[in-house]
Amino acid sequence: MNGGSAVVDSRTIEILRRRLKTEPSKDMKVLIIRVLGCIGKEPIIDSTLIVEDLINLLAEKSTKIRVQIIQSLEMIGKTKFQYNARFVAIATQFLNSQYTMEMSADPIKRVCLKLLGSLVPIDRDPQSDEALISMITSYFTDRDARVRTKAVSAIVQFIQRGGIVLPKMYQPIKKVLIDSCIQVRLAGLKLVWLMAQQHPEYVVNHSGSTNRLRLVDDAFTRTCVAVTDTSMAVRTLGASLLGTFQGVQTNYLLLTFGKEILSGANKGSLSLSRGKAPSGSEAKPEDILITDDALMDTGAIGVFIQGLEDEFFEVREATVESIGELSMRSLDFAQKAVDFLVDMFNDEIESVVVNAINCLKKLGNRVRLTEDQLHIVLSTVQDSSSHVRVSLHQLLKTTVMTSITCLHATTSALLANLTRYPKDVDTTFEALKSLGERHSSYTEFIIEDLLRIDSRFLTQEYHPDDVYFIGVLIVILNASTINKSILALLPKYIFRHTHYLKDKYPSYFPDVKISEEGSHHIGSMTSDMDVTDVTEVDVGAFLEQIVDRFGKFPEFLKSRNFSEARRMIISNQRQLERVMELDKRLKDNAQFYHIYAKILQIFVEFQDEDKLSRGNSWDDGKTQRNFLSSRLMILSYRLENLFLGITAALKLELVELRIVADLVMFLDTMALHREETQIDPTLLLQQFRDRLFLARSFCSENSLKYPENLENLDRACHTLTPSEISQNIPTLLKMITTFIPNPIKIKNLLKKSHGQIIYPATNPDKPAEFLLNFPVKIEFQARLYNVDDISMVIVQVELPDGSVQNFPLTPVNCVSRQPLQHHLEEDLLVDLKGITGIQLEFKLKNKFKLKIQVETYVEMNIAKFKV
């Protein structure tokens, strides 16, 4: 009953009600009450009689029965709001009665408090609930810690449901933070935080003194105290909540990085520094001078320092996350926090280091790293954890270097690390590209050091496949797109390698073009990006003209002008390929239409009866039909699943195209039935009807009109019997040869799902050697783009004998870098038993699970790896 709803008739309810009144066993009564509560919560059940029976049964003296009754009433009240006022009154009556003074009443108090938190109406005036809230807070001092926990949790739940607690109730609420029970303190932290969100500007007395603070500031300082709690769970929750406070004054935030050192002759003057007293009578610029007694009495002093030094990594991790969140809201706090976040790069726990790196990455241009801080950051580049290194590369992409020395040190560290961790080439190149683009003015002064140019000697020419040389060119050439003076400083041989490297690494090298004098006059390079920007509008208009020409395709089919239809399709395909070259923004849309043109070619072949079946003889041309129908299925699934941004109406068009392919396969199979008696024609017909039913269900789910072509086909299949289909093949054939696809026009930009295999890379010169007949573990890395569901992607290894092995992705091994972009690191255990070939072929495949129990695999990218 708890797992789901069930239909129960009135007779069953009546039997349970009668049994409840006559049952002598208390345990059996408890079970019946629980069942009635589960039944009564169902919307279609009239719960009036059930509620009356349960309330009347509260006269029982058994605590166990009373507890179950109140729990069942709460269950019913969550779905039947008309009873809530009565249920709340019953719970309040129990809590106010003398019965609750007994030790045996503690279970009833707990369930009554829980009921109040769940069912007290939230749309009433807060003044009317003051007595009720006061009654609940009176249980904050109950002798039973479980009752105290339920009382605090009841108010927490009330506020979370949208209720409002008067700010004057903050005084008794904040006392629960010093309760002896850990669970009470945990619930109290949540309650204090909720009060700070509801009444941030309300002024309260701080620590019982005459000092007046805003409620949000007082709640923040009290949460800071929780970070020094004896319980690890309380410290972790306190550290997590600190980052969620909104509107805390900056001076309180800065106190969290201070240590108490009294200075000056005046009492009440406090200087906060990082452990060193300021010399003389004046505070240093980096110190915080506090003269407010309220601030000196706060528990916020140095709390983040203590959190970062906590022995449990959970506390340190929560502290780092809170520092990152607060840094986004206060620039002064962010500047103070940088030094501490950088220090956490030396933590022994990987997750703490990654969190510290991500916090700095969020700050972006808000802060600058000093040379000492950058030295600590760069030492992490050699970390043994790939997640730490990848996160650091992402950080360096957004870091603004403060000097030429910083840029040179960062670039050199990344280049040196390529030889130590060659698998990081992808993220390292991304970082180098960003460094060049963001620091073009500094790059000009480090070219000689990076290329090791010495005017006293002839310039040494690097091999174009040298990974160090490639990394240097990524920095320099990306910087040259902004700072044109860089080109004049480059040796001549660099221009001979530019096109080769651009073709090999298109994502990291800018689009460049060498002029006729490129080999004689250094630096005569212009960017194709400028041309794209100028012609962007023209390319869009050009694509619309191509799509408009596709609109003439139905006319060619109706007039049976197949030769003109073929010429139009071929011409459009060539022009779509040109669009892909000119405009990257429209490339995916052009690829969609390019695949769509192949589908139109298939329909030209279907319509051309001379080629398809040579008249009405269905047995002729069977091989070509099988090829065309299977090709149509694959292409339609590619369009539907490889592109993001496909509307439901467009998916229906693709479903309609697949129904045509299904019909061709169905007729071929039915024709085969005349020769092979093992085939069941009734089953085949039912399977095809099921496909039509799925198409109709898709229309209903998406509020779309069922296509007329499918309506006619559906009507024909339901009127024909299996024995009549063989005689009516010409009639069904006419549905295929007269079917005309509707023109498709996409108004939004599409994104194509694709992947890039990083490792293993193609290595024909030095292939890795494996022992055959034994499984081999292969480290596999890839980058996935525009993928919204990782579970639909597999890694496919093709063996030399033609067999394949599929490996589903493990979500924990897929790290999301950006929305719809994932980095995959997976260990593949490939079985080489019986294999005598020389190479393995790796493929990233997009797996489409269809409702008709068919799985189609569409290739995304290929890389070869010899063994």
Side-chain angles (χ1 to χ4, degrees):
M1 295 294 294
N2 292 333
S5 60
V7 179
V8 181
D9 57 17
S10 58
R11 185 171 177 272
T12 303
I13 298 175
E14 184 62 28
I15 293 174
L16 290 173
R17 291 178 58 225
R18 288 201 304 265
R19 181 66 180 270
L20 179 62
K21 296 176 182 179
T22 59
E23 178 59 46
S25 172
K26 294 182 180 180
D27 293 334
M28 185 59 68
K29 276 189 174 183
V30 169
L31 291 177
I32 296 175
I33 293 170
R34 183 183 303 174
V35 172
L36 288 174
C38 293
I39 296 174
K41 71 177 183 179
E42 297 299 327
I44 62 174
I45 300 296
D46 185 1
S47 307
T48 304
L49 296 178
I50 296 177
V51 169
E52 293 297 333
D53 287 347
L54 294 180
I55 292 177
N56 294 333
L57 200 60
L58 284 173
E60 288 273 355
K61 299 298 183 182
S62 171
T63 301
K64 191 174 183 180
I65 293 178
R66 285 179 169 180
V67 168
Q68 186 57 58
I69 291 174
I70 296 175
Q71 289 178 339
S72 296
L73 293 179
E74 179 190 358
M75 195 183 306
I76 296 173
K78 288 182 177 179
T79 58
K80 308 292 180 64
F81 304 115
Q82 65 269 27
Y83 303 115
N84 284 2
R86 190 176 181 186
F87 294 165
V88 169
I90 292 173
T92 305
Q93 182 180 355
F94 264 103
L95 292 173
N96 288 329
S97 66
Q98 293 295 325
Y99 169 72
T100 56
M101 301 299 295
E102 303 175 9
M103 291 286 293
S104 60
D106 288 344
I108 295 182
K109 288 189 288 187
R110 294 199 298 269
V111 294
C112 286
L113 290 169
K114 186 174 182 295
L115 183 145
L116 292 178
S118 302
L119 303 184
V120 171
I122 60 175
D123 54 354
R124 298 189 301 189
D125 183 8
Q127 298 289 342
S128 61
D129 292 329
E130 181 179 357
L132 182 60
I133 299 298
S134 299
M135 185 266 293
I136 296 177
T137 57
S138 66
Y139 284 93
F140 287 179
T141 58
D142 192 88
R143 61 178 177 271
D144 190 339
R146 294 171 295 179
V147 174
R148 300 198 301 271
T149 303
K150 288 296 183 181
V152 178
S153 300
I155 300 183
V156 170
Q157 188 175 6
F158 173 70
I159 297 177
Q160 288 176 338
R161 290 171 49 228
I164 298 178
V165 177
L166 294 177
K168 64 181 180 180
M169 302 304 300
Y170 178 72
Q171 294 301 328
I173 286 175
K174 65 183 181 182
K175 294 180 181 179
V176 299
L177 297 179
I178 59 175
D179 194 277
S180 59
C181 177
I182 295 175
Q183 298 302 322
V184 176
R185 298 201 298 274
L186 289 172
L189 281 173
K190 298 177 184 178
L191 181 53
V192 169
W193 180 84
L194 289 171
M195 291 294 293
Q197 306 307 306
Q198 281 198 345
H199 312 286
E201 300 299 327
Y202 185 78
V203 179
V204 298
N205 291 330
H206 179 69
S207 300
S209 65
T210 58
N211 297 320
R212 307 281 285 173
L213 298 180
R214 296 186 310 152
L215 193 150
V216 64
D217 294 329
D218 186 80
F220 178 80
T221 58
R222 294 184 184 279
T223 306
C224 288
V225 176
V227 182
T228 63
D229 194 273
T230 56
S231 169
M232 185 272 291
V234 176
R235 297 201 302 273
T236 302
L237 179 60
S240 300
L241 290 177
L242 286 177
T244 61
F245 277 90
Q246 303 276 352
V248 180
Q249 292 184 9
T250 303
N251 50 3
Y252 286 98
L253 295 178
L254 297 178
L255 282 176
T256 57
F257 287 129
K259 290 186 178 180
E260 288 188 76
I261 300 176
L262 292 176
S263 65
N266 297 329
K267 182 180 179 180
S269 178
L270 179 67
S271 176
L272 302 177
S273 66
R274 296 194 62 200
K276 295 190 296 182
S279 60
S281 58
E282 295 184 358
K284 293 182 179 180
E286 65 271 15
D287 297 328
I288 310 167
L289 188 61
I290 304 298
T291 59
D292 191 346
D293 292 338
L295 296 185
M296 287 193 296
D297 194 27
T298 181
I301 298 175
V303 66
F304 278 143
I305 297 177
Q306 297 182 55
L308 294 175
E309 296 174 354
D310 196 277
E311 60 178 319
F312 291 94
F313 81 91
E314 293 91 346
V315 180
R316 301 198 301 273
E317 191 171 357
T319 304
V320 169
E321 291 178 356
S322 290
I323 292 174
E325 292 297 324
L326 293 174
S327 298
M328 298 297 294
R329 306 187 193 114
S330 172
L331 180 58
D332 294 335
F333 181 85
Q335 293 172 346
K336 274 284 182 182
V338 171
D339 207 11
F340 295 93
L341 290 176
V342 171
D343 286 342
M344 295 308 295
F345 282 30
N346 298 320
D347 197 277
E348 66 272 13
I349 302 299
E350 176 185 316
S351 60
V352 177
V353 178
V354 171
N355 273 345
I357 294 173
N358 291 336
C359 287
L360 276 181
K361 183 176 68 174
K362 290 178 182 179
L363 298 181
N365 298 329
R366 294 170 62 87
V367 296
R368 301 288 189 272
L369 297 179
T370 64
E371 292 189 11
D372 293 338
Q373 293 168 345
L374 185 63
H375 176 73
I376 298 176
V377 170
L378 294 179
S379 65
T380 316
V381 173
Q382 300 181 359
D383 195 278
S384 59
S385 170
S386 62
H387 288 167
V388 172
R389 297 195 306 272
V390 169
S391 299
L392 186 62
H393 295 161
Q394 298 295 319
L395 168 63
L396 294 177
K397 286 173 58 177
T398 61
T399 302
V400 178
M401 302 297 162
T402 57
S403 64
I404 298 174
T405 304
C406 291
L407 177 62
H408 185 270
T410 303
T411 306
S412 300
L414 290 173
L415 293 172
N417 205 48
L418 282 173
T419 57
R420 185 181 180 92
Y421 298 106
K423 297 178 184 178
D424 293 348
V425 62
D426 180 54
T427 54
T428 302
F429 282 175
E430 284 185 356
L432 291 172
K433 177 183 177 181
S434 180
L435 286 173
E437 293 174 341
R438 295 166 65 91
H439 306 90
S440 58
S441 58
Y442 290 164
T443 305
E444 178 181 351
F445 299 98
I446 63 174
I447 291 178
E448 291 187 358
D449 289 336
L450 294 179
L451 292 176
R452 298 167 186 169
I453 298 175
D454 193 333
S455 58
R456 297 172 298 176
F457 304 99
L458 292 175
T459 302
Q460 177 185 359
E461 183 172 348
Y462 289 91
H463 191 280
D465 290 326
D466 186 345
V467 68
Y468 174 87
F469 175 64
I470 296 172
V472 170
L473 285 191
I474 288 175
V475 177
I476 295 175
L477 292 182
N478 281 283
S480 69
T481 59
I482 301 174
N483 186 358
K484 302 297 182 181
S485 60
I486 291 178
L487 301 175
L489 305 176
L490 302 180
K492 295 181 180 180
Y493 72 86
I494 287 181
F495 300 104
R496 296 197 298 269
H497 304 316
T498 302
H499 290 303
Y500 165 74
L501 294 176
K502 170 61 180 174
D503 291 338
K504 189 174 183 180
Y505 303 100
S507 301
Y508 310 121
F509 283 88
D511 297 321
V512 294
K513 182 179 180 180
I514 302 178
S515 66
E516 296 295 334
E517 296 83 9
S519 59
H520 304 288
H521 301 285
I522 302 173
S524 55
M525 305 171 71
T526 59
S527 173
D528 282 347
M529 295 173 64
D530 299 335
V531 178
T532 303
D533 292 340
V534 174
T535 60
E536 182 177 357
V537 177
D538 297 333
V539 173
F542 182 47
L543 179 60
E544 289 185 4
Q545 294 176 3
I546 299 174
V547 175
D548 291 339
R549 283 198 293 272
F550 278 129
K552 299 179 181 179
F553 181 75
E555 299 178 4
F556 292 140
L557 293 187
K558 291 178 181 178
S559 61
R560 319 300 289 175
N561 192 351
F562 301 123
S563 59
E564 190 64 29
R566 291 187 179 96
R567 280 195 295 269
M568 182 269 293
I569 293 173
I570 295 174
S571 175
N572 282 2
Q573 285 179 319
R574 286 199 301 264
Q575 293 173 351
L576 288 170
E577 292 170 0
R578 180 58 177 163
V579 172
M580 298 179 202
E581 298 175 357
L582 291 176
D583 197 331
K584 294 181 179 179
R585 189 176 64 91
L586 298 174
K587 181 179 179 180
D588 292 344
N589 286 58
Q591 286 183 339
F592 180 92
Y593 284 115
H594 196 274
I595 298 176
Y596 176 65
K598 297 178 181 179
I599 291 179
L600 296 184
Q601 285 181 323
I602 294 175
F603 274 95
V604 171
E605 302 302 323
F606 278 156
Q607 300 272 352
D608 195 345
E609 296 181 1
D610 293 336
K611 288 192 173 185
L612 182 65
S613 59
R614 297 179 183 177
N616 289 333
S617 178
W618 183 255
D619 294 331
D620 298 332
K622 178 179 178 181
T623 303
Q624 184 181 9
R625 287 196 308 274
N626 288 336
F627 171 77
L628 292 176
S629 57
S630 60
R631 182 68 174 165
L632 175 58
M633 293 282 287
I634 293 176
L635 291 177
S636 63
Y637 278 121
R638 281 189 181 180
L639 292 182
E640 182 175 344
N641 295 277
L642 281 185
F643 293 88
L644 299 182
I646 302 296
T647 62
L650 182 53
K651 287 183 180 181
L652 178 59
E653 297 288 346
L654 298 175
V655 169
E656 190 174 359
L657 300 180
R658 284 197 292 272
I659 292 294
V660 175
D662 284 329
L663 179 59
V664 174
M665 296 178 181
F666 170 67
L667 293 179
D668 275 333
T669 309
M670 291 299 296
L672 186 63
H673 164 63
R674 293 178 298 184
E675 303 173 3
E676 298 185 10
T677 57
Q678 295 87 350
I679 299 177
D680 186 359
T682 304
L683 179 60
L684 292 176
L685 180 59
Q686 184 58 43
Q687 289 177 345
F688 185 71
R689 289 172 178 172
D690 291 341
R691 290 175 173 84
L692 293 173
F693 175 76
L694 291 176
R696 187 181 293 274
S697 300
F698 179 83
C699 294
S700 301
E701 293 171 0
N702 296 275
S703 302
L704 298 173
K705 182 181 178 181
Y706 196 52
E708 183 179 355
N709 292 326
L710 298 186
E711 190 71 58
N712 296 333
L713 183 59
D714 202 345
R715 190 181 304 108
C717 289
H718 280 82
T719 56
L720 293 176
T721 62
S723 58
E724 296 174 341
I725 291 182
S726 299
Q727 291 79 21
N728 287 273
I729 284 182
T731 303
L732 297 175
L733 173 62
K734 187 175 181 181
M735 293 186 177
I736 300 174
T737 57
T738 58
F739 179 83
I740 299 178
N742 295 321
I744 291 179
K745 191 167 186 178
I746 303 172
K747 298 181 180 180
N748 57 295
L749 288 177
L750 301 180
K751 291 296 181 182
K752 183 182 178 183
S753 301
H754 62 283
Q756 177 186 4
I757 296 178
I758 302 171
Y759 188 85
T762 303
N763 190 12
D765 298 328
K766 297 180 180 179
E769 296 182 358
F770 297 139
L771 293 175
L772 296 178
N773 299 322
F774 290 95
V776 59
K777 179 181 177 181
I778 298 177
E779 297 181 11
F780 184 83
Q781 293 187 23
R783 181 72 62 82
L784 305 177
Y785 301 91
N786 302 323
V787 176
D788 57 350
D789 189 0
I790 290 296
S791 64
M792 300 302 291
V793 181
I794 65 170
V795 179
Q796 185 181 89
V797 181
E798 184 174 336
L799 303 177
D801 62 353
S803 62
V804 296
Q805 296 182 22
N806 298 322
F807 299 89
L809 301 187
T810 306
V812 71
N813 294 329
C814 294
V815 180
S816 180
R817 299 283 181 76
Q818 298 176 10
L820 303 178
Q821 180 176 326
H822 311 272
H823 182 80
L824 168 66
E825 292 186 9
E826 192 88 23
D827 291 333
L828 309 180
L829 194 62
V830 181
D831 186 7
L832 299 180
K833 186 176 181 179
I835 302 301
T836 58
I838 60 171
Q839 76 176 18
L840 300 178
E841 186 169 327
F842 290 83
K843 298 180 180 180
L844 279 173
K845 298 272 184 164
N846 197 352
K847 178 178 66 175
F848 308 136
K849 292 185 177 180
L850 312 182
K851 292 184 178 180
I852 55 175
Q853 305 302 319
V854 177
E855 291 188 357
T856 305
Y857 298 91
V858 178
E859 179 180 338
M860 297 174 65
N861 196 9
I862 299 177
K864 294 183 178 180
F865 185 63
K866 288 190 175 182
V867 294

